[in-house]
mmCIF file of all heavy atoms in Angstrom:
data_model
loop_
_atom_site.group_PDB
_atom_site.id
_atom_site.type_symbol
_atom_site.label_atom_id
_atom_site.label_comp_id
_atom_site.label_asym_id
_atom_site.label_seq_id
_atom_site.Cartn_x
_atom_site.Cartn_y
_atom_site.Cartn_z
ATOM 1 N N ALA A 1 110.281 123.436 -108.731
ATOM 2 C CA ALA A 1 109.078 123.997 -108.116
ATOM 3 C C ALA A 1 109.417 125.207 -107.260
ATOM 4 O O ALA A 1 108.677 126.201 -107.222
ATOM 5 C CB ALA A 1 108.378 122.930 -107.275
ATOM 6 N N SER A 2 110.536 125.152 -106.569
ATOM 7 C CA SER A 2 110.971 126.282 -105.750
ATOM 8 C C SER A 2 111.261 127.498 -106.620
ATOM 9 O O SER A 2 110.865 128.626 -106.285
ATOM 10 C CB SER A 2 112.210 125.880 -104.950
ATOM 11 O OG SER A 2 112.654 126.949 -104.132
ATOM 12 N N ASP A 3 111.933 127.281 -107.751
ATOM 13 C CA ASP A 3 112.199 128.389 -108.679
ATOM 14 C C ASP A 3 110.888 128.999 -109.172
ATOM 15 O O ASP A 3 110.761 130.230 -109.277
ATOM 16 C CB ASP A 3 113.007 127.887 -109.873
ATOM 17 C CG ASP A 3 114.464 127.574 -109.519
ATOM 18 O OD1 ASP A 3 114.875 127.845 -108.377
ATOM 19 O OD2 ASP A 3 115.180 127.048 -110.394
ATOM 20 N N TYR A 4 109.942 128.143 -109.495
ATOM 21 C CA TYR A 4 108.638 128.621 -109.975
ATOM 22 C C TYR A 4 107.971 129.487 -108.899
ATOM 23 O O TYR A 4 107.463 130.578 -109.193
ATOM 24 C CB TYR A 4 107.755 127.424 -110.325
ATOM 25 C CG TYR A 4 106.376 127.783 -110.849
ATOM 26 C CD1 TYR A 4 106.111 127.785 -112.216
ATOM 27 C CD2 TYR A 4 105.333 128.118 -109.985
ATOM 28 C CE1 TYR A 4 104.852 128.110 -112.707
ATOM 29 C CE2 TYR A 4 104.072 128.454 -110.459
ATOM 30 C CZ TYR A 4 103.836 128.446 -111.824
ATOM 31 O OH TYR A 4 102.583 128.782 -112.289
ATOM 32 N N ALA A 5 107.965 128.988 -107.663
ATOM 33 C CA ALA A 5 107.311 129.722 -106.576
ATOM 34 C C ALA A 5 107.935 131.096 -106.389
ATOM 35 O O ALA A 5 107.229 132.099 -106.205
ATOM 36 C CB ALA A 5 107.388 128.912 -105.285
ATOM 37 N N LEU A 6 109.265 131.173 -106.445
ATOM 38 C CA LEU A 6 109.943 132.452 -106.294
ATOM 39 C C LEU A 6 109.570 133.407 -107.425
ATOM 40 O O LEU A 6 109.244 134.576 -107.190
ATOM 41 C CB LEU A 6 111.452 132.245 -106.290
ATOM 42 C CG LEU A 6 112.099 131.760 -104.996
ATOM 43 C CD1 LEU A 6 113.588 131.571 -105.206
ATOM 44 C CD2 LEU A 6 111.853 132.748 -103.872
ATOM 45 N N ALA A 7 109.636 132.909 -108.645
ATOM 46 C CA ALA A 7 109.375 133.761 -109.807
ATOM 47 C C ALA A 7 107.931 134.233 -109.864
ATOM 48 O O ALA A 7 107.644 135.323 -110.374
ATOM 49 C CB ALA A 7 109.736 133.012 -111.090
ATOM 50 N N GLN A 8 107.010 133.419 -109.334
ATOM 51 C CA GLN A 8 105.581 133.746 -109.432
ATOM 52 C C GLN A 8 105.043 134.487 -108.211
ATOM 53 O O GLN A 8 103.858 134.793 -108.150
ATOM 54 C CB GLN A 8 104.771 132.460 -109.645
ATOM 55 C CG GLN A 8 105.040 131.758 -110.970
ATOM 56 C CD GLN A 8 104.680 132.621 -112.165
ATOM 57 O OE1 GLN A 8 105.493 132.823 -113.054
ATOM 58 N NE2 GLN A 8 103.462 133.141 -112.204
ATOM 59 N N GLY A 9 105.894 134.765 -107.226
ATOM 60 C CA GLY A 9 105.479 135.665 -106.156
ATOM 61 C C GLY A 9 105.002 135.042 -104.869
ATOM 62 O O GLY A 9 104.340 135.717 -104.067
ATOM 63 N N ALA A 10 105.318 133.777 -104.613
ATOM 64 C CA ALA A 10 104.925 133.165 -103.342
ATOM 65 C C ALA A 10 105.631 133.859 -102.185
ATOM 66 O O ALA A 10 106.787 134.273 -102.298
ATOM 67 C CB ALA A 10 105.253 131.678 -103.345
ATOM 68 N N HIS A 11 104.947 133.995 -101.066
ATOM 69 C CA HIS A 11 105.535 134.573 -99.863
ATOM 70 C C HIS A 11 106.084 133.488 -98.932
ATOM 71 O O HIS A 11 106.978 133.757 -98.119
ATOM 72 C CB HIS A 11 104.497 135.391 -99.100
ATOM 73 C CG HIS A 11 103.880 136.488 -99.907
ATOM 74 N ND1 HIS A 11 102.589 136.419 -100.418
ATOM 75 C CD2 HIS A 11 104.388 137.684 -100.322
ATOM 76 C CE1 HIS A 11 102.318 137.521 -101.094
ATOM 77 N NE2 HIS A 11 103.387 138.298 -101.059
ATOM 78 N N VAL A 12 105.498 132.292 -99.033
ATOM 79 C CA VAL A 12 105.898 131.155 -98.196
ATOM 80 C C VAL A 12 105.966 129.923 -99.088
ATOM 81 O O VAL A 12 105.126 129.755 -99.986
ATOM 82 C CB VAL A 12 104.891 130.903 -97.052
ATOM 83 C CG1 VAL A 12 105.310 129.684 -96.217
ATOM 84 C CG2 VAL A 12 104.741 132.134 -96.170
ATOM 85 N N ILE A 13 106.969 129.078 -98.863
ATOM 86 C CA ILE A 13 107.037 127.780 -99.534
ATOM 87 C C ILE A 13 106.973 126.703 -98.465
ATOM 88 O O ILE A 13 107.827 126.670 -97.571
ATOM 89 C CB ILE A 13 108.338 127.627 -100.347
ATOM 90 C CG1 ILE A 13 108.395 128.650 -101.472
ATOM 91 C CG2 ILE A 13 108.455 126.209 -100.908
ATOM 92 C CD1 ILE A 13 109.723 128.654 -102.231
ATOM 93 N N THR A 14 105.960 125.851 -98.530
ATOM 94 C CA THR A 14 105.926 124.695 -97.654
ATOM 95 C C THR A 14 106.231 123.473 -98.502
ATOM 96 O O THR A 14 105.558 123.206 -99.493
ATOM 97 C CB THR A 14 104.574 124.539 -96.932
ATOM 98 O OG1 THR A 14 104.559 123.290 -96.210
ATOM 99 C CG2 THR A 14 103.397 124.568 -97.883
ATOM 100 N N GLN A 15 107.279 122.759 -98.130
ATOM 101 C CA GLN A 15 107.786 121.654 -98.939
ATOM 102 C C GLN A 15 107.838 120.404 -98.066
ATOM 103 O O GLN A 15 108.802 120.184 -97.337
ATOM 104 C CB GLN A 15 109.179 122.017 -99.476
ATOM 105 C CG GLN A 15 109.800 120.980 -100.393
ATOM 106 C CD GLN A 15 111.057 121.523 -101.043
ATOM 107 O OE1 GLN A 15 111.010 122.487 -101.792
ATOM 108 N NE2 GLN A 15 112.191 120.920 -100.753
ATOM 109 N N SER A 16 106.783 119.633 -98.113
ATOM 110 C CA SER A 16 106.716 118.416 -97.300
ATOM 111 C C SER A 16 107.465 117.314 -98.034
ATOM 112 O O SER A 16 106.881 116.456 -98.690
ATOM 113 C CB SER A 16 105.252 118.024 -97.070
ATOM 114 O OG SER A 16 105.153 116.999 -96.122
ATOM 115 N N TYR A 17 108.775 117.335 -97.877
ATOM 116 C CA TYR A 17 109.647 116.509 -98.713
ATOM 117 C C TYR A 17 110.707 115.888 -97.818
ATOM 118 O O TYR A 17 111.494 116.596 -97.194
ATOM 119 C CB TYR A 17 110.306 117.394 -99.762
ATOM 120 C CG TYR A 17 111.161 116.683 -100.781
ATOM 121 C CD1 TYR A 17 110.658 116.416 -102.053
ATOM 122 C CD2 TYR A 17 112.458 116.296 -100.489
ATOM 123 C CE1 TYR A 17 111.443 115.790 -103.009
ATOM 124 C CE2 TYR A 17 113.240 115.664 -101.439
ATOM 125 C CZ TYR A 17 112.740 115.408 -102.695
ATOM 126 O OH TYR A 17 113.500 114.789 -103.632
ATOM 127 N N SER A 18 110.716 114.556 -97.729
ATOM 128 C CA SER A 18 111.685 113.865 -96.891
ATOM 129 C C SER A 18 112.516 112.913 -97.721
ATOM 130 O O SER A 18 112.075 112.441 -98.763
ATOM 131 C CB SER A 18 110.972 113.079 -95.789
ATOM 132 O OG SER A 18 110.178 113.920 -94.989
ATOM 133 N N TRP A 19 113.706 112.609 -97.234
ATOM 134 C CA TRP A 19 114.610 111.715 -97.951
ATOM 135 C C TRP A 19 114.500 110.333 -97.305
ATOM 136 O O TRP A 19 115.141 110.063 -96.301
ATOM 137 C CB TRP A 19 116.034 112.238 -97.850
ATOM 138 C CG TRP A 19 116.864 111.842 -99.026
ATOM 139 C CD1 TRP A 19 117.569 110.695 -99.174
ATOM 140 C CD2 TRP A 19 117.043 112.580 -100.223
ATOM 141 N NE1 TRP A 19 118.191 110.677 -100.387
ATOM 142 C CE2 TRP A 19 117.892 111.825 -101.060
ATOM 143 C CE3 TRP A 19 116.587 113.805 -100.683
ATOM 144 C CZ2 TRP A 19 118.291 112.257 -102.309
ATOM 145 C CZ3 TRP A 19 116.982 114.233 -101.927
ATOM 146 C CH2 TRP A 19 117.824 113.471 -102.729
ATOM 147 N N TRP A 20 113.689 109.478 -97.875
ATOM 148 C CA TRP A 20 113.394 108.199 -97.231
ATOM 149 C C TRP A 20 114.231 107.052 -97.769
ATOM 150 O O TRP A 20 114.090 105.937 -97.321
ATOM 151 C CB TRP A 20 111.924 107.852 -97.440
ATOM 152 C CG TRP A 20 110.971 108.746 -96.726
ATOM 153 C CD1 TRP A 20 111.269 109.851 -95.993
ATOM 154 C CD2 TRP A 20 109.553 108.612 -96.671
ATOM 155 N NE1 TRP A 20 110.135 110.427 -95.499
ATOM 156 C CE2 TRP A 20 109.055 109.685 -95.908
ATOM 157 C CE3 TRP A 20 108.642 107.699 -97.215
ATOM 158 C CZ2 TRP A 20 107.702 109.856 -95.649
ATOM 159 C CZ3 TRP A 20 107.297 107.882 -96.951
ATOM 160 C CH2 TRP A 20 106.833 108.943 -96.187
ATOM 161 N N TRP A 21 115.053 107.304 -98.798
ATOM 162 C CA TRP A 21 115.775 106.184 -99.362
ATOM 163 C C TRP A 21 117.152 106.050 -98.724
ATOM 164 O O TRP A 21 117.535 106.840 -97.874
ATOM 165 C CB TRP A 21 115.855 106.281 -100.883
ATOM 166 C CG TRP A 21 115.999 107.672 -101.415
ATOM 167 C CD1 TRP A 21 117.141 108.343 -101.656
ATOM 168 C CD2 TRP A 21 114.941 108.560 -101.779
ATOM 169 N NE1 TRP A 21 116.876 109.592 -102.156
ATOM 170 C CE2 TRP A 21 115.538 109.750 -102.246
ATOM 171 C CE3 TRP A 21 113.547 108.467 -101.771
ATOM 172 C CZ2 TRP A 21 114.787 110.832 -102.689
ATOM 173 C CZ3 TRP A 21 112.811 109.547 -102.204
ATOM 174 C CH2 TRP A 21 113.424 110.706 -102.653
ATOM 175 N N THR A 22 117.891 105.053 -99.142
ATOM 176 C CA THR A 22 119.086 104.662 -98.402
ATOM 177 C C THR A 22 120.249 105.628 -98.569
ATOM 178 O O THR A 22 120.920 105.952 -97.593
ATOM 179 C CB THR A 22 119.536 103.256 -98.835
ATOM 180 O OG1 THR A 22 119.650 103.216 -100.262
ATOM 181 C CG2 THR A 22 118.511 102.218 -98.405
ATOM 182 N N ASP A 23 120.539 106.073 -99.784
ATOM 183 C CA ASP A 23 121.660 106.993 -99.939
ATOM 184 C C ASP A 23 121.243 108.403 -99.537
ATOM 185 O O ASP A 23 120.097 108.794 -99.668
ATOM 186 C CB ASP A 23 122.202 106.971 -101.373
ATOM 187 C CG ASP A 23 121.149 107.338 -102.397
ATOM 188 O OD1 ASP A 23 120.041 106.798 -102.299
ATOM 189 O OD2 ASP A 23 121.426 108.147 -103.289
ATOM 190 N N GLN A 24 122.186 109.152 -99.049
ATOM 191 C CA GLN A 24 121.884 110.473 -98.508
ATOM 192 C C GLN A 24 121.725 111.518 -99.616
ATOM 193 O O GLN A 24 122.318 111.389 -100.694
ATOM 194 C CB GLN A 24 122.998 110.906 -97.560
ATOM 195 C CG GLN A 24 123.040 110.086 -96.289
ATOM 196 C CD GLN A 24 121.768 110.230 -95.476
ATOM 197 O OE1 GLN A 24 121.309 111.343 -95.234
ATOM 198 N NE2 GLN A 24 121.195 109.125 -95.066
ATOM 199 N N PRO A 25 120.961 112.561 -99.326
ATOM 200 C CA PRO A 25 120.805 113.627 -100.319
ATOM 201 C C PRO A 25 122.077 114.450 -100.435
ATOM 202 O O PRO A 25 122.979 114.359 -99.602
ATOM 203 C CB PRO A 25 119.674 114.476 -99.723
ATOM 204 C CG PRO A 25 119.812 114.280 -98.251
ATOM 205 C CD PRO A 25 120.228 112.851 -98.082
ATOM 206 N N ASP A 26 122.138 115.256 -101.479
ATOM 207 C CA ASP A 26 123.233 116.195 -101.600
ATOM 208 C C ASP A 26 122.849 117.435 -100.792
ATOM 209 O O ASP A 26 122.081 118.281 -101.246
ATOM 210 C CB ASP A 26 123.471 116.572 -103.065
ATOM 211 C CG ASP A 26 124.729 117.398 -103.232
ATOM 212 O OD1 ASP A 26 125.797 116.794 -103.383
ATOM 213 O OD2 ASP A 26 124.628 118.636 -103.175
ATOM 214 N N TYR A 27 123.369 117.497 -99.576
ATOM 215 C CA TYR A 27 122.947 118.554 -98.661
ATOM 216 C C TYR A 27 123.272 119.944 -99.202
ATOM 217 O O TYR A 27 122.532 120.895 -98.952
ATOM 218 C CB TYR A 27 123.609 118.357 -97.297
ATOM 219 C CG TYR A 27 123.099 117.157 -96.547
ATOM 220 C CD1 TYR A 27 123.927 116.063 -96.295
ATOM 221 C CD2 TYR A 27 121.781 117.105 -96.090
ATOM 222 C CE1 TYR A 27 123.454 114.960 -95.605
ATOM 223 C CE2 TYR A 27 121.310 116.007 -95.408
ATOM 224 C CZ TYR A 27 122.146 114.933 -95.164
ATOM 225 O OH TYR A 27 121.665 113.840 -94.493
ATOM 226 N N GLU A 28 124.375 120.067 -99.938
ATOM 227 C CA GLU A 28 124.728 121.377 -100.468
ATOM 228 C C GLU A 28 123.670 121.888 -101.429
ATOM 229 O O GLU A 28 123.314 123.076 -101.410
ATOM 230 C CB GLU A 28 126.088 121.330 -101.174
ATOM 231 C CG GLU A 28 126.500 122.698 -101.712
ATOM 232 C CD GLU A 28 127.792 122.669 -102.510
ATOM 233 O OE1 GLU A 28 128.266 121.560 -102.847
ATOM 234 O OE2 GLU A 28 128.318 123.744 -102.797
ATOM 235 N N ALA A 29 123.133 121.015 -102.279
ATOM 236 C CA ALA A 29 122.118 121.444 -103.238
ATOM 237 C C ALA A 29 120.866 121.936 -102.516
ATOM 238 O O ALA A 29 120.299 122.977 -102.861
ATOM 239 C CB ALA A 29 121.767 120.295 -104.183
ATOM 240 N N PHE A 30 120.430 121.198 -101.491
ATOM 241 C CA PHE A 30 119.245 121.629 -100.744
ATOM 242 C C PHE A 30 119.541 122.893 -99.939
ATOM 243 O O PHE A 30 118.666 123.744 -99.766
ATOM 244 C CB PHE A 30 118.746 120.495 -99.844
ATOM 245 C CG PHE A 30 117.904 119.499 -100.573
ATOM 246 C CD1 PHE A 30 118.480 118.387 -101.164
ATOM 247 C CD2 PHE A 30 116.530 119.660 -100.692
ATOM 248 C CE1 PHE A 30 117.711 117.458 -101.855
ATOM 249 C CE2 PHE A 30 115.752 118.743 -101.377
ATOM 250 C CZ PHE A 30 116.340 117.641 -101.960
ATOM 251 N N ARG A 31 120.774 123.028 -99.437
ATOM 252 C CA ARG A 31 121.142 124.252 -98.736
ATOM 253 C C ARG A 31 121.116 125.437 -99.694
ATOM 254 O O ARG A 31 120.671 126.526 -99.329
ATOM 255 C CB ARG A 31 122.539 124.091 -98.117
ATOM 256 C CG ARG A 31 123.138 125.370 -97.530
ATOM 257 C CD ARG A 31 122.242 126.017 -96.497
ATOM 258 N NE ARG A 31 122.013 125.150 -95.355
ATOM 259 C CZ ARG A 31 121.162 125.425 -94.370
ATOM 260 N NH1 ARG A 31 120.454 126.546 -94.419
ATOM 261 N NH2 ARG A 31 120.999 124.589 -93.368
ATOM 262 N N ARG A 32 121.570 125.238 -100.911
ATOM 263 C CA ARG A 32 121.520 126.316 -101.894
ATOM 264 C C ARG A 32 120.071 126.751 -102.143
ATOM 265 O O ARG A 32 119.791 127.951 -102.263
ATOM 266 C CB ARG A 32 122.164 125.869 -103.205
ATOM 267 C CG ARG A 32 123.679 125.806 -103.173
ATOM 268 C CD ARG A 32 124.238 125.476 -104.549
ATOM 269 N NE ARG A 32 125.692 125.518 -104.592
ATOM 270 C CZ ARG A 32 126.413 125.541 -105.699
ATOM 271 N NH1 ARG A 32 125.812 125.509 -106.891
ATOM 272 N NH2 ARG A 32 127.727 125.584 -105.655
ATOM 273 N N GLN A 33 119.179 125.784 -102.260
ATOM 274 C CA GLN A 33 117.776 126.128 -102.446
ATOM 275 C C GLN A 33 117.296 127.006 -101.298
ATOM 276 O O GLN A 33 116.672 128.061 -101.504
ATOM 277 C CB GLN A 33 116.915 124.863 -102.521
ATOM 278 C CG GLN A 33 115.427 125.158 -102.644
ATOM 279 C CD GLN A 33 114.540 123.969 -102.285
ATOM 280 O OE1 GLN A 33 115.004 122.991 -101.703
ATOM 281 N NE2 GLN A 33 113.277 124.050 -102.631
ATOM 282 N N SER A 34 117.584 126.595 -100.059
ATOM 283 C CA SER A 34 117.141 127.353 -98.886
ATOM 284 C C SER A 34 117.785 128.738 -98.845
ATOM 285 O O SER A 34 117.130 129.728 -98.486
ATOM 286 C CB SER A 34 117.478 126.578 -97.610
ATOM 287 O OG SER A 34 116.796 125.340 -97.576
ATOM 288 N N ASP A 35 119.077 128.823 -99.216
ATOM 289 C CA ASP A 35 119.755 130.117 -99.198
ATOM 290 C C ASP A 35 119.153 131.091 -100.197
ATOM 291 O O ASP A 35 119.008 132.289 -99.914
ATOM 292 C CB ASP A 35 121.246 129.927 -99.509
ATOM 293 C CG ASP A 35 122.024 129.362 -98.321
ATOM 294 O OD1 ASP A 35 121.458 129.297 -97.217
ATOM 295 O OD2 ASP A 35 123.197 128.987 -98.519
ATOM 296 N N THR A 36 118.804 130.591 -101.386
ATOM 297 C CA THR A 36 118.201 131.462 -102.398
ATOM 298 C C THR A 36 116.834 131.949 -101.945
ATOM 299 O O THR A 36 116.498 133.141 -102.085
ATOM 300 C CB THR A 36 118.075 130.717 -103.741
ATOM 301 O OG1 THR A 36 119.381 130.367 -104.209
ATOM 302 C CG2 THR A 36 117.388 131.578 -104.792
ATOM 303 N N VAL A 37 116.050 131.052 -101.384
ATOM 304 C CA VAL A 37 114.718 131.424 -100.881
ATOM 305 C C VAL A 37 114.849 132.460 -99.773
ATOM 306 O O VAL A 37 114.123 133.466 -99.733
ATOM 307 C CB VAL A 37 113.972 130.167 -100.389
ATOM 308 C CG1 VAL A 37 112.697 130.554 -99.644
ATOM 309 C CG2 VAL A 37 113.637 129.250 -101.558
ATOM 310 N N LEU A 38 115.778 132.236 -98.847
ATOM 311 C CA LEU A 38 115.984 133.176 -97.743
ATOM 312 C C LEU A 38 116.429 134.534 -98.259
ATOM 313 O O LEU A 38 115.938 135.579 -97.808
ATOM 314 C CB LEU A 38 117.023 132.612 -96.772
ATOM 315 C CG LEU A 38 117.455 133.538 -95.628
ATOM 316 C CD1 LEU A 38 116.275 133.850 -94.724
ATOM 317 C CD2 LEU A 38 118.583 132.907 -94.821
ATOM 318 N N ALA A 39 117.367 134.541 -99.195
ATOM 319 C CA ALA A 39 117.851 135.810 -99.732
ATOM 320 C C ALA A 39 116.728 136.611 -100.369
ATOM 321 O O ALA A 39 116.696 137.842 -100.280
ATOM 322 C CB ALA A 39 118.958 135.556 -100.757
ATOM 323 N N ALA A 40 115.770 135.909 -100.989
ATOM 324 C CA ALA A 40 114.635 136.581 -101.628
ATOM 325 C C ALA A 40 113.594 137.052 -100.626
ATOM 326 O O ALA A 40 112.607 137.686 -101.009
ATOM 327 C CB ALA A 40 113.987 135.640 -102.640
ATOM 328 N N GLY A 41 113.804 136.756 -99.339
ATOM 329 C CA GLY A 41 112.859 137.184 -98.312
ATOM 330 C C GLY A 41 111.654 136.279 -98.170
ATOM 331 O O GLY A 41 110.625 136.695 -97.632
ATOM 332 N N ILE A 42 111.783 135.043 -98.630
ATOM 333 C CA ILE A 42 110.680 134.088 -98.597
ATOM 334 C C ILE A 42 110.891 133.110 -97.448
ATOM 335 O O ILE A 42 112.013 132.660 -97.199
ATOM 336 C CB ILE A 42 110.585 133.316 -99.934
ATOM 337 C CG1 ILE A 42 110.596 134.282 -101.108
ATOM 338 C CG2 ILE A 42 109.356 132.424 -99.961
ATOM 339 C CD1 ILE A 42 109.551 135.355 -101.045
ATOM 340 N N LEU A 43 109.822 132.769 -96.761
ATOM 341 C CA LEU A 43 109.885 131.784 -95.688
ATOM 342 C C LEU A 43 109.762 130.386 -96.278
ATOM 343 O O LEU A 43 108.820 130.084 -97.003
ATOM 344 C CB LEU A 43 108.749 132.017 -94.683
ATOM 345 C CG LEU A 43 108.648 131.002 -93.534
ATOM 346 C CD1 LEU A 43 109.887 131.070 -92.654
ATOM 347 C CD2 LEU A 43 107.380 131.249 -92.723
ATOM 348 N N HIS A 44 110.743 129.528 -95.983
ATOM 349 C CA HIS A 44 110.722 128.130 -96.436
ATOM 350 C C HIS A 44 110.451 127.243 -95.233
ATOM 351 O O HIS A 44 111.175 127.280 -94.235
ATOM 352 C CB HIS A 44 112.066 127.763 -97.069
ATOM 353 C CG HIS A 44 112.150 126.340 -97.527
ATOM 354 N ND1 HIS A 44 112.189 125.990 -98.858
ATOM 355 C CD2 HIS A 44 112.188 125.180 -96.849
ATOM 356 C CE1 HIS A 44 112.254 124.677 -98.973
ATOM 357 N NE2 HIS A 44 112.259 124.158 -97.753
ATOM 358 N N VAL A 45 109.397 126.425 -95.348
ATOM 359 C CA VAL A 45 109.031 125.500 -94.278
ATOM 360 C C VAL A 45 109.114 124.092 -94.830
ATOM 361 O O VAL A 45 108.527 123.791 -95.875
ATOM 362 C CB VAL A 45 107.596 125.774 -93.762
ATOM 363 C CG1 VAL A 45 107.257 124.837 -92.615
ATOM 364 C CG2 VAL A 45 107.450 127.226 -93.328
ATOM 365 N N ASN A 46 109.838 123.221 -94.149
ATOM 366 C CA ASN A 46 109.989 121.848 -94.627
ATOM 367 C C ASN A 46 109.554 120.869 -93.559
ATOM 368 O O ASN A 46 109.689 121.128 -92.362
ATOM 369 C CB ASN A 46 111.443 121.563 -95.020
ATOM 370 C CG ASN A 46 111.564 120.511 -96.097
ATOM 371 O OD1 ASN A 46 111.645 120.846 -97.278
ATOM 372 N ND2 ASN A 46 111.568 119.253 -95.721
ATOM 373 N N SER A 47 109.051 119.721 -93.996
ATOM 374 C CA SER A 47 108.650 118.681 -93.056
ATOM 375 C C SER A 47 109.868 118.146 -92.321
ATOM 376 O O SER A 47 110.986 118.166 -92.828
ATOM 377 C CB SER A 47 107.965 117.534 -93.806
ATOM 378 O OG SER A 47 108.864 116.961 -94.733
ATOM 379 N N GLY A 48 109.632 117.629 -91.122
ATOM 380 C CA GLY A 48 110.696 117.020 -90.343
ATOM 381 C C GLY A 48 110.673 115.514 -90.438
ATOM 382 O O GLY A 48 111.268 114.834 -89.609
#
């Protein structure tokens, strides 16, 4: 979905997405997503 938003011209991505299960997420993969969005000049907002 993030790739789609970037390719289609979104200026802001709001991603209300939390990791509620027991094993931890792969932080590097999510960091890569944020880095790509930032490099493209897009504001990424995520739920806390």
Side-chain angles (χ1 to χ4, degrees):
S2 181
D3 288 354
Y4 181 99
L6 281 178
Q8 295 298 127
H11 303 105
V12 178
I13 296 174
T14 173
Q15 183 171 297
S16 190
Y17 185 100
S18 302
W19 208 273
W20 292 4
W21 36 90
T22 52
D23 59 313
Q24 291 298 311
D26 188 87
Y27 291 113
E28 181 184 12
F30 278 91
R31 171 56 62 187
R32 285 185 175 194
Q33 177 198 14
S34 298
D35 284 350
T36 298
V37 170
L38 174 63
I42 310 306
L43 177 64
H44 178 110
V45 182
N46 208 95
S47 61

